Amino acid sequence: MSSTSHADTAAAAQDGATAPVPRRRRGVRRLSLRDRIVVAVLLGIPLLLDLAFVWFPAIGTALLSFTKWNGVGSLHTQTCKPNVPSILNNGCWYGVQNYHQAATIYPEFWPAVRHNLIWLAVFVVIATPLGMLFAVLIDRGIRGSRMYQSILFLPVMLSLALVGIIWEFMYSQNYGLINTVIGHTSDSNAIDWLGNPHLNLWSVLVEATWRQSGYVMVLYLAGLKAVDPTLREAATVDGANAWQTFWRVVFPVMKPINIVVMVVTVIESLRAFDLVYITNKGINGLELLSVLVTSNIVGETQRVGFGSALGVVLLVISLVPISVFLYQTFRREEAS
Amino acid sequence: MTTEALTRPGTAVPSAPGRRRTRPWGQLASQAFLIVASVLWLLPIAFALYVAVRPYSDTRKYGYVSLPHHLTLKNFSDAWTQSDMLHFFWNSVLITVPAVIIVLALASGVAFVLTRVDVKVNIALLILFTAGNLLPQQVIITPLYRLYLKITLPHFLSDSGLMYNSIFGLIAINVAFQLGFCVFVLSNYMKSVPEEMYEAALVDGASLWTRFWRLTIPLCRPALAALATLLTTWIYNDFFWAITLMSSGDKRPVTSALANLQGQFVSNQNLIAAAAMIAAVPTLVVYILLQKQFIAGLSLGASKG
């Protein structure tokens, strides 16, 4: 087998001078049996794994969202009967009732959606510009830029669970750094940063921003390095100041990185879970869609169908940034 | 550019006289801003560290925010011995190391096939892998949880006999979930390998496997190193899979086990601070040692958007 492919390629090499492109293509395409087996193994195992543990469950969630199921017993295709105790109805086809219930009578649903949107807004309005500013300043190569970069990126290395624990010392009602400094530690005037449902989302968002802006900074640093320096020189020669150079020349060139940052921002705010879970299990003012999904399906209530419906809501919202990203990334490849 | 202009003032002055006047102020403002930001960014970590090096008796007497009377490393040793941290670290190692190796092995194979062999559906497969990594974890957890309760494993892989609550199960989901990102980055990297090298290999009669293993993998070493460091921190820092797919706390990796420790030590915050600092050490060491690779790794994934 290897001798035939050897002969093929030798012929291709000889012909190379006259018609290199088509011969080369054919040489790659015409695979020996052994090469085919290699391709099948290299592609097959990961594909199977990805389909089994990521895509099959994703489709499963979509299907389960139309059922009423407590996770025990079997699923069937009969339509759920109204006015029958749910124990007899278990595993039945529920149509869009889960979605309807989520939107109308589930008290935590709309607060969770609102919290997710606030999370996104804070990331867009504060974390992203802050990270971009860090990157731009550091990229100008001022003294100590490497040190600043290391410090500002440090939180990204910590797990969100650790971030939650570390910030506990800042926020704690009676021994936290913040309350001590502003003199609010006595029982009468203590500020409960993480317990007060009107306050805790914002407190947690400070933690999240603290971490996210370092992440955005690194993405922009990478993007800025890729910007052709002659562009900036040309802008400087034309008399543009630093502000103009950045907004008129550098920023537009960084379009790919802007899209990546945008996608990362949306996805990270939809995925948010660890911080609120470690802070107070994601209840009492910290409800997020991710928390509701988790508590409905692995918590004590076991409303699998309902939790899946919430998961599908999360999936549909996530598909927007995912599609933007994929479209931007693969459009050029399709063309080439 | 700035440094170049500063070291050669003669060339910079005539072209941009306006900038020269504003630059010192700009420099000063940038420095001031970055110093303030750095202090704010270090403050939470520094304070947790400060709490960790003070004895419990001190903080109880004088409060957490007070001048140091004694400093001690005893909290670290206590946290280490009382909470069985070595055990949780070992769990993290057992999960992270195999997972990173398997992801990189599988992803480089996929990336190679998708970039170097025309299998007709290359882009569709690339999209499939990449999109999978972008899904929120909660979207797939229900059926995954059920699946894990259904799949039986031999006892040497899981003492419960199931995928659920086994180290093997955590490795599997981390591998499946991280595959997408690695395939994406590696295929971008492999595309930059010049076609001529493969032609030369073909002339030498190299089989597909040889072209993959002997030619592509060595060339991708920088990308693999960068990905290895990124994956190590991500998998080590995982919280969600560990708390949903593991029922017994003693099998969990260190970052999620810490949530339990919080309850266990609730009266002694100094000990919690010390435990948190200990748990942060591995990723910080990885970060400090491989900082350059990290930045490069992120830019590999990022600049290709």
Side-chain angles (χ1 to χ4, degrees):
Chain A
M1 272 170 286
S2 60
S3 63
T4 48
S5 67
H6 192 126
D8 265 5
T9 52
Q14 275 167 8
D15 278 12
T18 51
V21 177
R23 292 299 292 187
R24 186 201 307 155
R25 284 260 165 117
R26 265 182 63 198
V28 174
R29 213 174 272 171
R30 198 189 290 164
L31 297 168
S32 68
L33 180 66
R34 188 164 161 264
D35 287 352
R36 279 166 194 276
I37 293 170
V38 169
V39 168
V41 171
L42 288 185
L43 200 55
I45 295 171
L47 191 61
L48 205 67
L49 206 60
D50 199 47
L51 289 176
F53 290 136
V54 178
W55 289 108
F56 171 72
I59 294 165
T61 299
L63 292 176
L64 280 174
S65 74
F66 297 106
T67 66
K68 187 173 183 172
W69 192 38
N70 64 8
V72 187
S74 57
L75 287 157
H76 50 83
T77 52
Q78 281 162 1
T79 314
C80 296
K81 298 179 192 75
N83 312 320
V84 168
S86 60
I87 191 80
L88 297 173
N89 250 336
N90 190 33
C92 57
W93 183 257
Y94 208 29
V96 293
Q97 282 303 305
N98 288 320
Y99 295 93
H100 182 73
Q101 282 181 9
T104 52
I105 56 171
Y106 188 51
E108 285 101 343
F109 181 73
W110 290 111
V113 171
R114 201 169 39 113
H115 296 160
N116 268 106
L117 287 176
I118 293 174
W119 202 286
L120 175 65
V122 169
F123 272 13
V124 170
V125 178
I126 298 172
T128 305
L130 199 58
M132 189 160 77
L133 183 59
F134 290 158
V136 170
L137 293 180
I138 286 170
D139 187 58
R140 291 168 80 187
I142 65 174
R143 193 172 301 169
S145 56
R146 276 193 70 90
M147 190 190 66
Y148 295 131
Q149 180 185 322
S150 305
I151 291 172
L152 296 170
F153 190 64
L154 199 58
V156 189
M157 284 296 100
L158 302 175
S159 78
L160 283 160
L162 274 181
V163 169
I165 293 172
I166 287 172
W167 275 84
E168 178 82 31
F169 298 104
M170 301 291 287
Y171 280 134
S172 168
Q173 210 180 145
N174 36 36
Y175 60 80
L177 184 65
I178 296 173
N179 273 359
T180 312
V181 168
I182 61 175
H184 281 266
T185 45
S186 71
D187 284 339
S188 55
N189 69 353
I191 302 173
D192 194 358
W193 296 101
L194 296 174
N196 182 339
H198 299 292
L199 211 56
N200 52 10
L201 182 69
W202 303 100
S203 307
V204 170
L205 276 169
V206 171
E207 306 173 20
T209 303
W210 179 69
R211 191 167 182 275
Q212 178 74 7
S213 51
Y215 189 16
V216 172
M217 173 191 77
V218 169
L219 293 176
Y220 271 117
L221 274 176
L224 285 166
K225 280 205 184 79
V227 172
D228 186 354
T230 56
L231 275 176
R232 291 184 219 208
E233 278 161 31
T236 314
V237 169
D238 287 348
N241 62 30
W243 182 259
Q244 288 168 328
T245 308
F246 180 74
W247 286 111
R248 304 256 178 90
V249 179
V250 176
F251 190 74
V253 173
M254 285 200 301
K255 192 185 169 205
I257 216 81
N258 286 325
I259 290 165
V260 169
V261 169
M262 211 178 70
V263 169
V264 164
T265 301
V266 180
I267 287 181
E268 288 293 312
S269 44
L270 287 171
R271 275 184 181 174
F273 174 82
D274 303 22
L275 262 187
V276 299
Y277 193 83
I278 200 95
T279 300
N280 67 357
K281 303 257 173 197
I283 51 168
N284 191 30
L286 287 181
E287 291 82 3
L288 292 174
L289 283 173
S290 59
V291 174
L292 301 188
V293 177
T294 312
S295 62
N296 271 289
I297 56 188
V298 278
E300 284 137 31
T301 46
Q302 291 277 323
R303 298 169 71 197
V304 175
F306 187 72
S308 301
L310 297 171
V312 173
V313 172
L314 195 58
L315 173 68
V316 170
I317 305 173
S318 321
L319 282 179
V320 177
I322 292 175
S323 313
V324 169
F325 177 72
L326 294 177
Y327 177 75
Q328 285 291 335
T329 311
F330 294 108
R331 193 182 44 171
R332 269 174 288 143
E333 294 192 23
E334 201 78 63
S336 65
Chain B
M1 255 204 325
T2 325
T3 49
E4 194 192 355
L6 282 173
T7 49
R8 287 188 292 151
T11 53
V13 173
S15 62
R19 276 191 63 181
R20 204 179 137 240
R21 246 180 292 133
T22 55
R23 196 181 295 127
W25 284 109
Q27 283 274 347
L28 212 62
S30 307
Q31 283 286 357
F33 175 76
L34 286 174
I35 287 169
V36 171
S38 297
V39 169
L40 285 176
W41 253 243
L42 279 178
L43 189 63
I45 301 173
F47 185 59
L49 190 63
Y50 181 59
V51 173
V53 295
R54 300 184 68 199
Y56 179 53
S57 54
D58 255 28
T59 50
R60 222 171 70 149
K61 204 156 149 197
Y62 308 107
Y64 285 82
V65 190
S66 56
L67 291 172
H69 293 260
H70 308 279
L71 293 179
T72 173
L73 293 176
K74 196 167 177 302
N75 290 318
F76 291 97
S77 58
D78 283 356
W80 182 261
T81 49
Q82 290 179 23
S83 67
D84 216 1
M85 277 193 94
L86 183 64
H87 173 77
F88 293 120
F89 264 124
W90 183 237
N91 288 346
S92 285
V93 171
L94 284 181
I95 295 162
T96 311
V97 173
V100 170
I101 293 170
I102 297 170
V103 180
L104 290 179
L106 294 181
S108 45
V110 175
F112 173 73
V113 171
L114 294 186
T115 49
R116 291 295 157 189
V117 183
D118 185 10
V119 287
K120 303 280 196 256
V121 283
N122 304 44
I123 291 179
L125 286 175
L126 200 49
I127 289 176
L128 185 91
F129 278 107
T130 312
N133 179 248
L134 297 175
L135 296 174
Q137 292 161 306
Q138 286 80 12
V139 166
I140 63 172
I141 189 63
T142 326
L144 191 71
Y145 176 71
R146 299 283 142 191
L147 200 65
Y148 268 47
L149 287 171
K150 285 271 188 298
I151 300 177
T152 52
L153 290 178
H155 271 270
F156 67 92
L157 283 176
S158 155
D159 46 19
S160 61
L162 293 172
M163 202 68 166
Y164 180 70
N165 200 20
S166 75
I167 296 248
F168 182 79
L170 272 200
I171 293 174
I173 185 58
N174 275 307
V175 168
F177 204 71
Q178 299 295 351
L179 258 178
F181 178 77
C182 296
V183 168
F184 179 70
V185 170
L186 283 171
S187 68
N188 275 327
Y189 197 84
M190 286 180 191
K191 266 176 219 150
S192 66
V193 177
E195 185 71 38
E196 287 73 25
M197 299 189 78
Y198 290 95
E199 281 167 32
L202 272 171
V203 171
D204 290 345
S207 68
L208 190 75
W209 176 256
T210 312
R211 277 175 275 153
F212 169 61
W213 189 245
R214 293 279 173 80
L215 174 62
T216 313
I217 292 298
L219 286 173
C220 288
R221 210 173 284 155
L224 289 171
L227 282 176
T229 53
L230 280 174
L231 284 173
T232 305
T233 57
W234 287 340
I235 297 175
Y236 177 86
N237 283 339
D238 162 63
F239 181 71
F240 184 73
W241 300 130
I243 62 163
T244 49
L245 297 175
M246 283 250 174
S247 59
S248 41
D250 67 330
K251 283 188 200 157
R252 285 186 181 158
V254 68
T255 40
S256 53
L258 214 61
N260 290 359
L261 295 185
Q262 239 189 331
Q264 193 186 326
F265 296 147
V266 74
S267 59
N268 189 340
Q269 294 294 324
N270 303 74
L271 219 53
I272 293 175
M277 290 295 134
I278 295 174
V281 166
T283 45
L284 294 187
V285 168
V286 168
Y287 173 48
I288 290 162
L289 289 180
L290 298 157
Q291 204 183 5
K292 270 189 188 159
Q293 248 106 348
F294 260 120
I295 308 291
L298 281 167
S299 56
L300 282 176
S303 61
K304 307 291 178 176

